[in-house]
């Protein structure tokens, strides 16, 4: 991964209420880290349609759009300062489509923060296309700000069974330690992987005990590194997404890996990650398997 652990917390800004929420969340997070807050507004120059003389029309569009983006940044700066008055803030208008610009920003960032939906998005959508694209392609952890986070609530993290989301665990433990809140580790096992003829004979209590022991082993290295974090392990049968969504109510943050068990390799989100992003009641952090935990 190319993201710099000492990099800025980057928030995408487009003038929407959702982006202002992202700026506020990012400001508070940057203050906790002692990091810079970088507010970025993307302007898609290639979408301009000239009116009248092509050159004059295009230049007018460029200037008007840039002014609007700068005003959006001013609003985001004010919102961020209200949350974190002492935070160092920088801002920039960048040419390009928002997913591409934020993907580039992620190469040098500690974290990229976006809202659920931007300006011009369809109101009925649970999650906007920019948020999805950034969550899939960013080089660093991405937080999609949604719902109402509980400031003193726990960090909730999904734990798979094959060790693919160690990076997500690292981010979750770091966030819990930074905020001095508990961490809830949720792991789901499934009867679907068993021979259906054996399911009626299954000793669920024995399997539950086995899964608890395995989860304890998965967490051991992290609990040793973060001894001050109060860890609460939760084992469920199937329903990982439902459990994470349910526990997001009253949580400060839910952390998921970008790909789940059985998901094909490539730039895709796993089904659990998608469900949590669409339905969680608090902000969601998506962490690629290669991502490093933030400092």
């Amino acid at each position: 991964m190319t993201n710099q652990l000492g990099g800025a917390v980057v928030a995408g800004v487009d003038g929407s209420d959702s982006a202002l929420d992202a700026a506020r969340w990012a400001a508070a997070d940057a203050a906790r880290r002692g990091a810079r807050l970088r507010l970025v507004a993307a302007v898609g120059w290639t979408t301009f349609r000239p009116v009248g003389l092509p050159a004059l029309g295009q230049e007018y569009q460029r200037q008007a759009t840039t002014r609007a983006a700068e005003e959006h940044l001013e609003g985001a700066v004010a919102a961020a300062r209200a949350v974190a008055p002492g935070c160092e803030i920088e801002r920039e208008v960048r040419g390009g489509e928002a997913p591409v610009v934020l993907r580039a920003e992620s190469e040098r960032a500690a974290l990229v923060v976006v809202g659920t939906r931007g300006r011009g998005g369809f109101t009925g959508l649970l999650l906007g296309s920019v948020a999805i694209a950034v969550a899939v392609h960013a080089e660093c952890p991405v937080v999609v700000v949604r719902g109402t986070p509980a400031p003193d609530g726990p960090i909730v993290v999904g734990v798979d069974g094959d060790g693919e989301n160690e990076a997500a665990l690292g981010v979750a433990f770091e966030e819990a330690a930074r905020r001095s809140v508990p961490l809830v580790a949720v792991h789901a096992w499934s009867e679907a992987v068993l021979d259906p003829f054996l399911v009626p004979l299954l000793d669920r209590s024995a399997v539950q005990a086995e899964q608890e022991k395995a989860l304890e082993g998965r967490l051991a290295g992290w609990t040793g590194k973060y001894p001050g974090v109060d860890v609460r392990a939760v084992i469920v049968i199937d329903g990982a997404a439902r459990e994470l969504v349910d526990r997001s109510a009253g949580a400060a943050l839910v952390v998921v890996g970008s790909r789940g068990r059985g998901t094909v390799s490539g730039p895709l989100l796993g089904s659990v990650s998608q469900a949590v992003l669409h339905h969680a009641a608090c902000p969601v952090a998506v962490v690629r398997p290669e991502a490093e935990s933030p400092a």
Side-chain angles (χ1 to χ4, degrees):
M1 298 303 293
T2 56
N3 63 296
Q4 299 175 359
L5 299 186
V9 174
V10 175
V13 173
D14 65 1
S16 65
D17 290 341
S18 181
L20 289 178
D21 289 340
R24 294 185 187 97
W25 194 97
D29 190 73
R32 280 190 294 267
R33 294 169 183 263
R36 289 176 296 118
L37 171 63
R38 179 169 166 79
L39 302 174
V40 177
V43 178
W45 305 119
T46 57
T47 63
F48 293 163
R49 293 183 178 180
V51 292
L53 292 174
L56 293 177
Q58 191 171 50
E59 185 58 27
Y60 172 79
Q61 288 274 23
R62 184 185 296 269
Q63 292 176 1
T65 307
T66 299
R67 283 196 300 272
E70 289 171 345
E71 290 174 0
H72 296 159
L73 285 172
E74 288 177 5
V77 168
R81 291 219 182 280
V83 172
C87 184
E88 178 187 351
I89 300 177
E90 60 184 50
R91 55 183 170 176
E92 183 179 356
V93 176
R94 292 191 56 176
E97 298 299 327
V100 177
V101 167
L102 293 176
R103 162 66 176 76
E105 289 284 334
S106 75
E107 295 179 358
R108 302 177 299 279
L111 184 72
V112 171
V113 184
V114 294
T116 51
R117 286 193 309 274
R119 294 172 66 87
F122 294 101
T123 308
L125 294 179
L126 295 174
L127 195 65
S129 58
V130 171
I132 293 173
V134 176
V136 169
H137 297 291
E139 292 290 326
C140 68
V142 174
V143 170
V144 178
V145 178
R146 57 174 301 118
T148 305
D152 298 322
I155 304 299
V156 178
V157 60
V159 184
D160 62 18
D162 50 19
E164 283 292 318
N165 66 344
E166 284 300 301
L169 277 172
V171 168
F173 269 90
E174 182 64 36
E175 286 291 334
R178 185 179 292 123
R179 297 163 182 260
S180 298
V181 298
L183 183 144
V184 178
V186 177
H187 170 66
W189 65 276
S190 176
E191 294 180 346
V193 299
L194 303 175
D195 185 328
F197 293 102
L198 297 178
V199 169
L201 306 176
L202 185 67
D203 183 346
R204 287 176 174 77
S205 61
V207 175
Q208 186 79 3
E210 180 181 313
Q211 294 293 322
E212 290 172 355
K213 183 177 181 180
L215 179 56
E216 182 180 345
R218 284 288 307 279
L219 299 175
W222 294 107
T223 54
K225 185 176 180 180
Y226 297 95
V229 174
D230 176 16
V231 180
R232 304 166 188 177
V234 177
I235 305 289
V236 295
I237 303 177
D238 295 315
R242 181 172 58 251
E243 186 72 20
L244 291 169
V245 170
D246 287 347
R247 288 183 177 273
S248 70
L253 181 72
V254 174
V255 182
V256 293
S258 61
R259 293 196 298 273
R261 190 174 191 175
T263 304
V264 295
S265 178
L268 300 171
L269 287 177
S271 59
V272 171
S273 303
Q274 289 190 53
V276 174
L277 276 172
H278 282 282
H279 299 289
C282 72
V284 179
V286 179
V287 185
R288 290 177 58 178
E290 305 92 335
E292 299 175 79
S293 60

